[in-house]
Amino acid sequence: MAYDPQIAAIRFGLGRRAGEAIPTDPQAWLARQLDGEDPGLAAPLHGSSAGLRLLHETRTRSPGKGPNSRQEPKDQIRDIFRADTGAALDMLLTTATPFRERLVWFWANHFTVSIRTQILAGVINAYVSEAIRPHVTGRFEDMLLAVMRHPAMLFYLNNAGSIGPLSPAGQRSKRGLNENLARECLELHTVTPASGYTQADVTEFARVLTGWSIDFERGEPGFIFRPATHEPGSKTVMGKSWPQGEAGGRALLHWLGTHPSTYRSVATKLVRHFVADAPAEADVQRIAGILQQTGGDLKAASLGIVGLESAWRPLGKLRSPFDYVVAVMRALDLPAERRGNLNEAMSSLGQGLHNAPLPNGWPDTAAEWAGPEAIMRRVDWAYAVAGRTDGIDPVRLARDALGPLLPADTHEAIARAGSHREAMTLLLASPEFQRR
Amino acid sequence: MKDLSTMTQSAPRLTRRAALLGLAGAVTLGRTSVALAAAATEQRFVVVLLRGALDGLAAVQPYGDRALADLRGELLAPEPGHEKGLGDLGGYFGLHPALSAMHEMYTGGSLAVLHAAAGPSRSRSHFEAQDYMECGAEQRLSSGWLNRALALLPPHRSTAAGSETALSVGTSVQLVLRGPAPVASWLPQGFGGPDAEILRKLAAMHAADPATGPALAEGLRERGFSNAVLSGQAAAPNRFSFPALAGSVGKMLAAPDGPRIAALELGGWDTHAAQVGRLPGALGQLDSGMAALKTALGDAWARTAVLVMTEFGRTVRVNGTKGTDHGTATVAFVAGGAVAGGRVIADWPGLGAGKLLENRDLMPTTDLRAVAKALLAGHLRIDPARLGPVFPGGEGVAPIRGLLRA
């Protein structure tokens, strides 16, 4: 098996960056990226408390109240989103650990929180930093717990206001359960319907999660377990009994986060992301086995993917719009003022940052991304970008970005193009550049 | 996409905002684009860059040269007087039949043809040669010759407020207009897609891809790019075609407080294969664009000079795929009411044995810098003594005389 360094950068990384050294030992290069702490944690991001305070203000403040001299909370939310998203894009374009960064975005998509719920825009990037990044090379169950306790998820999937009907608060008010987070946790984040859970399990799980909420009142808003809204008594989920209190939820999440069905689902998604739209059973079993043996060690699972022979077959995956824009921009390494608004570009290609329509996140197969209009928009965008690439030699760029993956006919089309812009368009919109 | 936005086709006027941005703009669309610059002159000057290397021997066929038929055989258009024949240019040269409006300009005395012309560079690389053509030098510079010339004009007029038509700063200004003199760029809404030539190549490149191949083919069909369009045998569905753009530019230049200088570009000239089928489409775009420019300029046409040029010519002999490869000398056109037209200006080098450059290309005998200098000095009234920095290395090149009406 040939561990092609170019494939390492394209398949496991985010596309080769202009001027980036080609690793002599691709597997070691990838493994090294998973050592130590995520450099992305050092990015100058707002913590979630700033966004949470604004979210709370937006929801509680009556319109027209207070002096107009202050900036509206929604404008401040937008400013935080812009600043944090800019930092996140810089990280994507310049990181020296692109494999780890790809994994960050993979897991953020697995545990989707979407800014279709607009007031979450001020906290979305903090969510990734606080709940996802610390656990990308840690244990799956730890990431699951961090996600389920994070205010962004508790708000997005409506658990913050879920109240046990028999709890003191439930007895006083007519409010009650919200099953949303419990359902999606079972269906999307952990065991999936293949495990055979029932509607009763969903409802019982929702009872377990009552009281998992957000404290907006304290200085640093964040997670709180509210006994007053927690459904009393033990609950039965998937045939097992879970005790009353926060500990019951933690125990259940530990059980779900280490369940063989969860490992299988996660393994399938990883293989689909890194190897092929239709994952081979043997590959899924291999990765699920690693997760089982290591107690859900995501670093071991990620390195397991690197060790799959099938993962080194070139260009088997169509780049998603997010991947495509990032790869083009890494290859070109344009100064910031010539990049254009990359989040807008991703949106126009169908995949705005943190803007998935539904909690199941963005799809990960070519069939979902290769619509006729979608592909035409990629061509249009490639052409627009090509107009800002003066001074970049398209032939050299093609060799740098694709290396041996550049077929002779694409190379020739670029070399023989009628203008610089045409050559750059042909390269950036080529079939090879659309793939990873 | 937001970065390809907001100037409407119907109201192509520079606004105060555009003026504040530096009183100039550029439009890019499909295979055509334009940059505009306001200037302290009532003269109008337009540069049309034909990117991809126009075959001068096809556009202006030297049918009087006895060596031509043997070298060009199947690529030749019928001689003047025959059906679909050349438009005669005085008994030796003939204009391609797709250039009928330009032939009318010629007979009306407002189009001059320069043949066997080339810039100083002998590069056969599109990218290098286009850069040199626009830099006005034999090396890559960060600014273009037209921008450096712009800086020699007196300070611009104070600009009155235009309509409130929005202008947004867009992507690229052509190199020829890039440089220290302020030139803003903007893009009309809906402009900005790649041209049929690029799309044709991409469709071929993607054909074998199981995901993107069928998607791209269907996407092209949905946007009206039939196979005939992609092969250059039918006009592209882009409503912002070169003629429409040229007309818009003409209106802007005609406005009393509008810009005075514009640079447009048009692609589709790289006819390596099936040249007879593909060249008429591109020539037709150029021809209609020139006609639209003239019409839109109205009375201002009398004070207009248009320079049409390409980065190099094509091989004299036909290649193995009924096309031509990268060559050297080619034609340039100078049109407008200010031009002393109705003439072919050429020191014809001939096509016979021993007369070709490296036994393959038309020998260059006219320096394009001499043409550009004549227009900058004679038309824009820039002191010829100050033109040195505009064409570095070309200080000894004298402007062509008699190109403009007295």
Side-chain angles (χ1 to χ4, degrees):
Chain A
M1 167 166 44
Y3 294 108
D4 187 318
Q6 212 82 31
I7 294 173
I10 291 172
R11 168 64 55 82
F12 297 101
L14 298 163
R16 180 141 180 259
R17 194 169 173 233
E20 195 173 54
I22 294 179
T24 47
D25 182 344
Q27 285 192 303
W29 178 67
L30 292 169
R32 253 195 328 271
Q33 297 182 37
L34 305 188
D35 290 341
E37 198 179 60
D38 183 346
L41 287 168
L45 290 166
H46 296 83
S48 55
S49 38
L52 289 171
R53 276 192 289 267
L54 291 164
L55 183 157
H56 188 55
E57 197 177 336
T58 308
R59 295 175 73 230
T60 52
R61 201 171 69 146
S62 53
K65 180 184 147 196
N68 284 334
S69 58
R70 274 193 60 215
Q71 216 190 356
E72 288 291 322
K74 65 178 168 51
D75 295 333
Q76 296 180 58
I77 288 174
R78 184 204 55 208
D79 290 348
I80 290 177
F81 178 73
R82 282 189 186 161
D84 289 359
T85 300
L89 284 165
D90 283 344
M91 179 76 190
L92 283 161
L93 265 46
T94 59
T95 179
T97 55
F99 181 31
R100 182 191 278 267
E101 195 66 11
R102 171 172 291 287
L103 287 164
V104 167
W105 288 84
F106 169 85
W107 288 114
N109 192 52
H110 178 78
F111 290 111
T112 287
V113 169
S114 172
I115 58 166
R116 299 269 167 129
T117 304
Q118 287 182 11
I119 51 177
L120 282 172
V123 74
I124 187 70
N125 285 287
Y127 164 71
V128 175
S129 287
E130 293 163 2
I132 304 293
R133 285 192 186 275
H135 306 291
V136 160
T137 53
R139 289 182 190 284
F140 179 82
E141 64 163 313
D142 294 338
M143 190 187 290
L144 175 66
L145 181 64
V147 163
M148 295 293 282
R149 285 166 54 90
H150 198 280
M153 183 61 88
L154 290 167
F155 190 87
Y156 177 56
L157 292 180
N158 316 110
N159 202 77
S162 180
I163 290 171
L166 300 178
S167 69
Q171 293 287 295
R172 280 196 308 273
S173 70
K174 294 210 187 309
R175 291 157 67 202
L177 286 181
N178 188 311
E179 295 178 354
N180 204 4
L181 179 60
R183 180 184 307 282
E184 304 300 17
C185 180
L186 291 174
E187 181 179 336
L188 304 174
H189 303 154
T190 61
V191 291
T192 78
S195 63
Y197 62 81
T198 64
Q199 173 57 42
D201 291 319
V202 172
T203 308
E204 279 289 277
F205 186 16
R207 289 193 177 100
V208 172
L209 290 177
T210 49
W212 290 49
S213 187
I214 309 164
D215 183 357
F216 288 110
E217 304 298 334
R218 66 184 193 226
E220 295 281 309
F223 175 81
I224 188 173
F225 178 77
R226 298 184 192 278
T229 62
H230 183 66
E231 183 77 349
S234 63
K235 294 96 183 169
T236 301
V237 178
M238 296 180 77
K240 290 184 179 297
S241 179
W242 309 98
Q244 178 181 332
E246 185 184 358
R250 282 178 166 266
L252 175 50
L253 288 174
H254 163 74
W255 185 75
L256 288 170
T258 54
H259 195 285
S261 295
T262 298
Y263 289 150
R264 186 175 167 83
S265 161
V266 162
T268 306
K269 281 181 98 166
L270 277 167
V271 175
R272 182 181 296 124
H273 185 75
F274 282 99
V275 183
D277 290 0
E281 177 60 25
D283 289 346
V284 173
Q285 283 187 12
R286 170 104 170 261
I287 303 306
I290 291 172
L291 287 165
Q292 193 71 52
Q293 287 150 23
T294 60
D297 184 332
L298 297 182
K299 180 176 176 179
S302 304
L303 294 175
I305 297 274
V306 173
L308 292 176
E309 185 168 347
S310 53
W312 293 81
R313 283 184 213 128
L315 306 183
K317 290 286 296 182
L318 185 73
R319 279 178 165 143
S320 72
F322 163 84
D323 269 335
Y324 178 58
V325 169
V326 169
V328 165
M329 285 299 150
R330 281 177 68 87
L332 294 173
D333 196 24
L334 296 175
E337 68 275 11
R338 279 205 278 159
R339 286 180 200 153
N341 184 325
L342 297 185
N343 192 25
E344 255 175 33
M346 290 172 183
S347 296
S348 79
L349 300 185
Q351 193 181 19
L353 287 172
H354 299 300
N355 199 21
L358 295 168
N360 58 349
W362 297 109
D364 205 358
T365 60
E368 297 282 349
W369 291 121
E373 177 63 14
I375 296 298
M376 290 303 293
R377 286 188 185 193
R378 291 191 191 202
V379 172
D380 287 344
W381 181 72
Y383 181 76
V385 170
R388 303 181 220 130
T389 57
D390 305 307
I392 299 176
D393 178 347
V395 174
R396 190 194 299 170
L397 181 70
R399 287 195 201 118
D400 283 353
L402 291 166
L405 304 175
L406 179 71
D409 57 345
T410 298
H411 183 271
E412 176 158 334
I414 292 162
R416 294 183 61 142
S419 69
H420 181 266
R421 187 170 190 176
E422 177 181 328
M424 291 300 297
T425 306
L426 293 177
L427 168 61
L428 300 177
S430 68
E432 293 75 29
F433 221 104
Q434 305 284 348
R435 294 186 163 272
R436 64 175 178 89
Chain B
M1 256 177 284
K2 292 270 171 57
D3 60 349
L4 312 173
S5 61
T6 63
M7 168 80 190
T8 61
Q9 171 77 358
S10 56
R13 278 188 292 170
L14 288 182
T15 66
R16 174 164 44 194
R17 181 163 156 227
L20 292 172
L21 286 168
L23 52 87
V27 183
T28 305
L29 74 163
R31 64 171 55 163
T32 67
S33 78
V34 57
L36 298 160
T41 174
E42 284 307 304
Q43 308 292 89
R44 271 69 166 179
F45 184 43
V46 180
V47 174
V48 180
L49 303 168
L50 306 181
R51 293 192 192 278
L54 165 67
D55 181 16
L57 292 177
V60 178
Q61 195 170 303
Y63 69 90
D65 192 311
R66 288 184 189 174
L68 181 68
D70 279 349
L71 293 161
R72 277 287 169 132
E74 58 195 322
L75 297 192
L76 294 177
E79 293 193 3
H82 294 77
E83 193 183 343
K84 296 183 180 171
L86 299 166
D88 198 21
L89 302 178
Y92 192 88
F93 297 98
L95 204 57
H96 191 284
L99 298 175
S100 56
M102 289 171 69
H103 190 248
E104 261 180 53
M105 289 181 194
Y106 182 92
T107 54
S110 62
L111 176 80
V113 174
L114 298 118
H115 218 322
S121 136
R122 292 293 166 262
S123 169
R124 291 192 184 96
S125 150
H126 289 299
F127 317 140
E128 282 180 5
Q130 286 175 24
D131 284 357
Y132 300 157
M133 169 174 70
E134 295 180 72
C135 292
E138 291 178 75
Q139 56 181 320
R140 287 196 165 108
L141 305 173
S142 59
S143 64
W145 61 265
L146 191 50
N147 186 285
R148 294 193 296 275
L150 210 59
L152 298 177
L153 292 169
H156 63 77
R157 300 155 284 144
S158 62
T159 43
S163 73
E164 290 309 308
T165 307
L167 279 176
S168 83
V169 178
T171 53
S172 56
V173 175
Q174 292 105 335
L175 179 53
V176 70
L177 260 180
R178 221 174 288 156
V183 173
S185 68
W186 44 267
L187 290 166
Q189 191 156 35
F191 278 52
D195 61 55
E197 175 78 3
I198 293 177
L199 294 174
R200 180 183 64 77
K201 290 178 180 174
L202 281 174
M205 287 161 65
H206 281 269
D209 190 298
T212 59
L216 188 58
E218 178 59 24
L220 288 168
R221 263 194 298 279
E222 285 173 7
R223 289 198 184 177
F225 285 90
S226 64
N227 288 336
V229 173
L230 293 179
S231 62
Q233 285 156 13
N238 188 351
R239 63 202 165 93
F240 302 110
S241 58
F242 181 73
L245 179 69
S248 300
V249 169
K251 278 185 215 158
M252 288 187 236
L253 293 175
D257 58 351
R260 292 292 175 262
I261 292 172
L264 295 84
E265 63 182 45
L266 176 62
W269 307 105
D270 199 20
T271 49
H272 285 282
Q275 176 167 313
V276 169
R278 287 171 51 194
L279 199 51
L283 288 171
Q285 289 277 303
L286 174 64
D287 193 61
S288 304
M290 294 294 282
L293 185 63
K294 179 184 176 185
T295 303
L297 276 162
D299 294 343
W301 177 252
R303 294 184 296 279
T304 296
V306 184
L307 170 61
V308 183
M309 61 185 190
T310 187
E311 70 263 32
F312 46 67
R314 311 194 67 86
T315 49
V316 173
R317 293 183 187 85
V318 185
N319 68 13
T321 52
K322 300 188 178 173
T324 49
D325 295 321
H326 300 178
T328 305
T330 182
V331 290
F333 300 100
V334 179
V339 174
R343 298 180 300 144
V344 177
I345 301 169
D347 175 8
W348 188 243
L351 301 174
K355 293 179 176 169
L356 302 183
L357 178 69
E358 298 172 20
N359 189 31
R360 55 174 273 152
D361 301 344
L362 180 61
M363 182 73 74
T365 55
T366 293
D367 191 326
L368 281 172
R369 292 174 298 184
V371 181
K373 278 189 174 183
L375 294 169
L376 295 177
H379 188 60
L380 293 183
R381 319 271 159 82
I382 298 173
D383 181 355
R386 301 179 67 199
L387 285 175
V390 176
F391 297 101
E395 290 80 2
V397 178
I400 284 190
R401 301 168 75 90
L403 191 58
L404 297 158
R405 292 182 193 280

